[in-house]
Amino acid sequence: MSIHIDGQKIVLANDHLRRELDIAHGVTSTAYLLRPYGREGSDVWIPTFWPGSREPYEAAVDIGGRRWEAGSFDPTRAPAIHEGAFIVARHEISSSALGQVLTLTCAPRPGVNLPVEIVLRYEIADTLPLLLKSVTVWNRTKQMVIVDNLVVDMFCHTRYQQELRVFTDWYEAYGKTEGRDEYYQGWILMQFPHPVRLPLEPGESLDSFRCFEYATPHEAEEAAVRHHRIFRAIAPW
């Protein structure tokens, strides 16, 4: 199984890792699990963040001096600051060279005045212990919008953090993509290292960097082999 949708629940899984999403009210990861030591064939899964917790938000866009989160929300209340500002308007599954791709198009929820849509893209490999994630922001208005920054993903590791590796295709000479959230203590944000302040004309979009998230074994030699296989798959040239 690569991607399975059951109502408002989505599971992205292969033999090495499993990520579960809830899109009932906004979008959020409810679980992110790995096989012990990144090995397939086990009946055991271990969490990459604390059991019972939910990811605070799945992605975010900074506009007008405020961070607008794509996360879960309470539909019975008026929109709050630290609450999801988007609903999943549509979802689509497609194929890729690595495996399958889940695309979630998120529009502002009722009561939120936002000029953009965000598109979340997850690509899970069939045979590699690899999940790719990226975000695109679209200006759907008739006026220019300035995007200050994007959050592509976030992590709060347990003691098993050494088994999940994350790197990006951002050129880190311009700064590291790992940041911290002042409100959600302990969570690591994957975002542009500096405000981009990119103006988007009507109909234009901004693509984020890609996050490459993969399960790795503890043994250094085995981990090096797996790292090499992943790089050969994503950059065969």
Side-chain angles (χ1 to χ4, degrees):
M1 175 182 69
S2 293
I3 300 175
H4 176 70
I5 299 178
D6 183 8
Q8 305 300 313
K9 310 292 185 183
I10 302 177
V11 176
L12 304 98
N14 57 27
D15 287 336
H16 305 270
L17 53 83
R18 177 185 178 95
R19 187 164 184 164
E20 301 175 6
L21 305 176
D22 187 335
I23 60 171
H25 303 294
V27 54
T28 187
S29 288
T30 56
Y32 200 160
L33 309 171
L34 302 177
R35 297 289 192 194
Y37 307 108
R39 293 174 180 161
E40 67 273 25
S42 171
D43 291 331
V44 178
W45 292 94
I46 56 176
T48 63
F49 45 77
W50 295 113
S53 68
R54 296 166 67 95
E55 198 170 54
Y57 54 88
E58 199 67 19
V61 57
D62 292 355
I63 296 175
R66 175 175 167 180
R67 173 152 293 175
W68 299 90
E69 302 171 3
S72 61
F73 62 85
D74 184 346
T76 65
R77 301 184 313 190
I81 292 179
H82 293 290
E83 195 173 48
F86 296 88
I87 59 171
V88 176
R90 58 187 179 275
H91 53 71
E92 178 185 354
I93 297 176
S94 57
S95 298
S96 70
L98 289 174
Q100 285 191 307
V101 179
L102 171 68
T103 303
L104 301 179
T105 300
C106 303
R109 60 181 280 202
V112 174
N113 184 22
L114 259 177
V116 297
E117 282 185 348
I118 62 173
V119 178
L120 312 183
R121 188 176 187 271
Y122 305 80
E123 183 175 1
I124 187 163
D126 287 334
T127 59
L128 293 171
L130 177 66
L131 176 68
L132 287 75
K133 185 181 177 188
S134 61
V135 179
T136 300
V137 179
W138 285 91
N139 180 4
R140 297 305 191 190
T141 69
K142 297 181 179 180
Q143 298 179 339
M144 183 182 70
V145 174
I146 297 178
V147 175
D148 295 321
N149 211 331
L150 282 176
V151 176
V152 181
D153 214 343
M154 61 193 309
F155 304 93
C156 184
H157 297 302
T158 67
R159 64 188 178 91
Y160 300 108
Q161 62 178 310
Q162 67 271 17
E163 296 180 2
L164 179 69
R165 294 285 187 266
V166 181
F167 64 93
T168 74
D169 56 4
W170 171 260
Y171 184 50
E172 291 200 352
Y174 295 125
K176 292 187 177 297
T177 52
E178 289 189 7
R180 297 285 179 174
D181 192 295
E182 296 180 358
Y183 184 79
Y184 300 107
Q185 296 292 323
W187 288 84
I188 299 171
L189 306 182
M190 304 304 293
Q191 62 184 5
F192 289 111
H194 309 289
V196 293
R197 297 190 177 92
L198 183 71
L200 296 181
E201 296 293 340
E204 289 186 338
S205 63
L206 167 64
D207 292 327
S208 74
F209 52 82
R210 293 181 296 171
C211 282
F212 299 83
E213 306 165 13
Y214 71 100
T216 183
H218 285 176
E219 296 84 355
E221 289 186 6
E222 190 177 342
V225 170
R226 182 168 293 178
H227 196 76
H228 179 70
R229 287 180 57 210
I230 289 173
F231 267 88
R232 285 291 299 272
I234 62 178
W237 55 88

